[in-house]
Amino acid sequence: MTTRKWWGIAAVVLSIALVAGCGSKPTTNAGQPEQPTTEQPAAEQPAAEQPAPNDQKDNKQEQSIQVYVSDDDLMELKTYEKKIQFANDEEKYKAVLEALQSSENDNDTPLWKKIEFKSVKMDNGTLVIDVHIPEDGHLGAGGEQFALEALTKTLFQFDEVKAIDVLVDGKAEESLMGHVTLEHPIKR
């Protein structure tokens, strides 16, 4: 019985010590006295110096888009909805291309997952995309066709995109991966 009392007392003392230790102010100056600050509280700062709320600071728009991926067997295109955020058109197209590289469902295959988007720019209604395709990024004929279809269906959701010109390492190649003819540009 006395052993239980001692364990109980030890637990209470330890708890009190932990609570007291958690409430102490951390020392950041390694024992040096604290220096008074000259900053004004946020409420007293002029409006121009106060941090803007998150929605104003980012100045980003949000839009829901349909993104196209394939099933595991590369037998059909599937779609899912994705919200993208962007501040300008260039960021919007980059966000869309990034969305093509992933999927929210593990059973889907993002056809552009291994492809590097080197640059993207709008040129008089034609979206010019320069890509690099590593060896392990090549797909068969069906996968290549689905990849182009996924790209066009996803990007043609935007009215301002009248055509898409896909360059491979800066060159207008006859084919993206060697199987399907690549038009320059791909028009609606």
Side-chain angles (χ1 to χ4, degrees), residues 51-62 85-86:
N54 271 349
D55 56 345
Q56 291 177 353
K57 184 172 84 174
D58 292 341
N59 228 4
K60 294 203 177 216
Q61 301 175 36
E62 185 173 273
Q85 293 184 344
F86 54 92

Side-chain angles (χ1 to χ4, degrees), residues 106-119:
D106 291 338
N107 295 326
D108 293 338
T109 301
L111 299 160
W112 292 86
K113 182 177 184 172
K114 297 182 179 180
I115 297 176
E116 175 191 346
F117 294 103
K118 295 168 67 174
S119 68

Side-chain angles (χ1 to χ4, degrees), residues 63-77:
Q63 183 174 351
S64 290
I65 61 168
Q66 295 297 312
V67 180
Y68 292 83
V69 295
S70 182
D71 62 331
D72 267 346
D73 300 323
L74 299 178
M75 297 300 289
E76 66 177 330
L77 274 184

Side-chain angles (χ1 to χ4, degrees), residues 154-175:
T154 302
L155 287 170
F156 283 151
Q157 292 176 76
F158 304 102
D159 293 334
E160 69 272 17
V161 179
K162 305 295 181 201
I164 304 166
D165 196 5
V166 181
L167 307 176
V168 180
D169 294 318
K171 299 176 187 168
E173 298 288 348
E174 289 181 25
S175 176

Side-chain angles (χ1 to χ4, degrees), residues 138-188:
H138 287 263
L139 302 169
E144 182 178 351
Q145 182 65 42
F146 278 153
L148 288 171
E149 194 173 331
L151 180 75
T152 56
K153 283 185 172 188
T154 302
L155 287 170
F156 283 151
Q157 292 176 76
F158 304 102
D159 293 334
E160 69 272 17
V161 179
K162 305 295 181 201
I164 304 166
D165 196 5
V166 181
L167 307 176
V168 180
D169 294 318
K171 299 176 187 168
E173 298 288 348
E174 289 181 25
S175 176
L176 185 64
M177 299 175 192
H179 306 288
V180 179
T181 302
L182 183 59
E183 298 176 30
H184 294 282
I186 302 167
K187 296 181 181 177
R188 282 186 181 267

